[in-house]
Amino acid sequence: MAAYFSLILVLVTLGSGLIWMVDALVFAPKRQAKLAAAQSAQADISEESAEKITREPALVETSRSIFPVIAFVLILRSFIYEPFQIPSGSMMPTLLVGDFILVEKFSYGLKDPVWRSQLVETGKPERGDVAVFKYPENTKIDYIKRVIGLPGDKVVYRNKQVYIQPACEKGASSCPEMQLVARESVNTGEFTQDNVALMRYTEQLGDVSHDILINPSRPEPVGYYYHRNNLPLGEFVVPEGQYFVMGDNRDNSTDSRFWGFVPEELLVGKAVAIWISFEFERSPADFLPTWIPTGVRFNRVGGIV
């Protein structure tokens, strides 16, 4: 839907701009010439008659009115910030269903809004970033996950813990050792899934500290990706130009453990803030539709870690 909206926004901007420009260059001068001819033939022409002669057609007037607004929205949404809604619990506890976030579009390079070709390189994802990207198996869908592995890294997910061996730089005499990503227990039972109390941990990914959830009743994930690529269970080597991502709700997230890596060209931007958060707690039996919020979580408004 976001891709279609971008295309519609571009078409409306181009269409309204062209209509306004053609009128300003071609038809507006003709209307002014027509007014001048009328005034030379009749010196005391009324203001009403003059306004009628020079009046813009309704289509031109509408285009002139909406073009600056639509152009501003297009630039803002395509190159600066774009709003997204969190549709699932795969990033709990960092992001909840009903959170509305802002995604910084220029963090990972400026791309054109239609073909998504790179226009200007502005930066690369860093370990721990919460990134929005096009789902590699269906690029019409936007996904949001946390960046765990960078190009060249070896990532191991075993016993529900993450191990990372950073990429070995070319020419280096020795390579970094495999390291366990440190985590500390926070609580158990704050969140539940299928009546199972989830375990909450604080995980340290480089300089980024964030919380994750573990479901102790769920087995280790065994995805099709392992078998398709003949990989040892839970081990991944991140190719150049691609990234390994995971949801913070580790046992309720379809991510790189199942479908592989995120190519750089599919990156949309970095999630930087929650600008509003709604609660949706209605049941289908309620009088009001379930999509109408039941409350606002003002305490969640702010930055994302």
Side-chain angles (χ1 to χ4, degrees):
M1 184 62 190
Y4 292 129
F5 183 75
S6 296
L7 179 60
I8 291 170
L9 199 59
V10 169
L11 293 176
V12 171
T13 304
L14 288 176
S16 59
L18 284 172
I19 290 170
W20 185 17
M21 183 179 69
V22 169
D23 180 77
L25 296 177
V26 179
F27 297 105
K30 290 182 178 180
R31 291 195 296 271
Q32 290 297 329
K34 187 176 180 180
L35 174 62
Q39 288 174 333
S40 63
Q42 184 180 345
D44 60 343
I45 187 171
S46 66
E47 290 186 7
E48 183 180 351
S49 298
E51 192 276 332
K52 188 175 181 179
I53 293 172
T54 58
R55 184 185 302 159
E56 295 175 335
L59 179 61
V60 174
E61 183 179 3
T62 302
S63 298
R64 179 172 57 82
S65 300
I66 69 170
F67 174 75
V69 177
I70 297 296
F72 174 78
V73 172
L74 176 64
I75 293 171
L76 179 68
R77 187 181 183 276
S78 300
F79 304 116
I80 305 177
Y81 291 102
E82 182 176 358
F84 282 86
Q85 179 182 358
I86 301 303
S88 74
S90 71
M91 281 297 292
M92 291 168 56
T94 306
L95 296 170
L96 306 181
V97 175
D99 285 350
F100 287 76
I101 64 171
L102 286 178
V103 175
E104 198 172 76
K105 300 294 289 286
F106 56 84
S107 291
Y108 306 144
L110 298 180
K111 299 180 175 70
D112 76 79
V114 178
W115 292 280
R116 300 190 46 77
S117 303
Q118 179 106 326
L119 302 176
V120 180
E121 183 175 322
T122 59
K124 304 283 187 182
E126 298 181 1
R127 201 185 317 280
D129 283 2
V130 177
V132 172
F133 54 91
K134 300 295 181 182
Y135 178 37
E137 297 191 349
N138 183 357
T139 55
K140 294 180 181 179
I141 301 174
D142 292 312
Y143 265 34
I144 182 167
K145 305 291 178 186
R146 191 176 297 275
V147 176
I148 305 294
L150 305 179
D153 288 354
K154 182 176 182 179
V155 179
V156 175
Y157 189 72
R158 186 168 295 149
N159 298 323
K160 301 198 177 183
Q161 289 192 288
V162 180
Y163 300 79
I164 299 176
Q165 183 178 22
C168 188
E169 296 182 4
K170 292 182 179 180
S173 57
S174 62
C175 293
E177 297 290 329
M178 179 76 70
Q179 296 179 351
L180 171 67
V181 174
R183 72 184 191 189
E184 293 183 2
S185 177
V186 177
N187 59 47
T188 300
E190 179 184 356
F191 296 91
T192 61
Q193 180 181 340
D194 300 328
N195 296 319
V196 175
L198 301 184
M199 303 167 69
R200 181 170 183 167
Y201 294 90
T202 295
E203 190 175 74
Q204 190 71 35
L205 270 175
D207 296 331
V208 178
S209 177
H210 65 99
D211 285 5
I212 64 170
L213 297 177
I214 297 292
N215 186 334
S217 70
R218 288 283 182 91
E220 289 282 306
V222 181
Y224 172 65
Y225 184 82
Y226 295 116
H227 304 293
R228 183 177 63 187
N229 294 277
N230 296 317
L231 292 172
L233 185 64
E235 295 187 12
F236 305 86
V237 177
V238 187
E240 286 300 316
Q242 301 191 46
Y243 297 87
F244 183 91
V245 299
M246 293 174 64
D248 288 347
N249 191 354
R250 293 286 163 79
D251 295 303
N252 189 30
S253 173
T254 303
D255 48 42
S256 288
R257 294 169 293 173
F258 298 89
W259 41 254
F261 308 102
V262 179
E264 195 168 293
E265 59 269 20
L266 296 186
L267 293 170
V268 173
K270 178 182 177 180
V272 294
I274 299 170
W275 61 272
I276 195 66
S277 179
F278 292 115
E279 293 176 336
F280 296 93
E281 297 181 353
R282 302 185 196 280
S283 69
D286 290 341
F287 175 74
L288 293 174
T290 56
W291 54 265
I292 296 179
T294 56
V296 181
R297 298 177 289 221
F298 290 106
N299 63 312
R300 292 193 54 76
V301 175
I304 297 174
V305 295

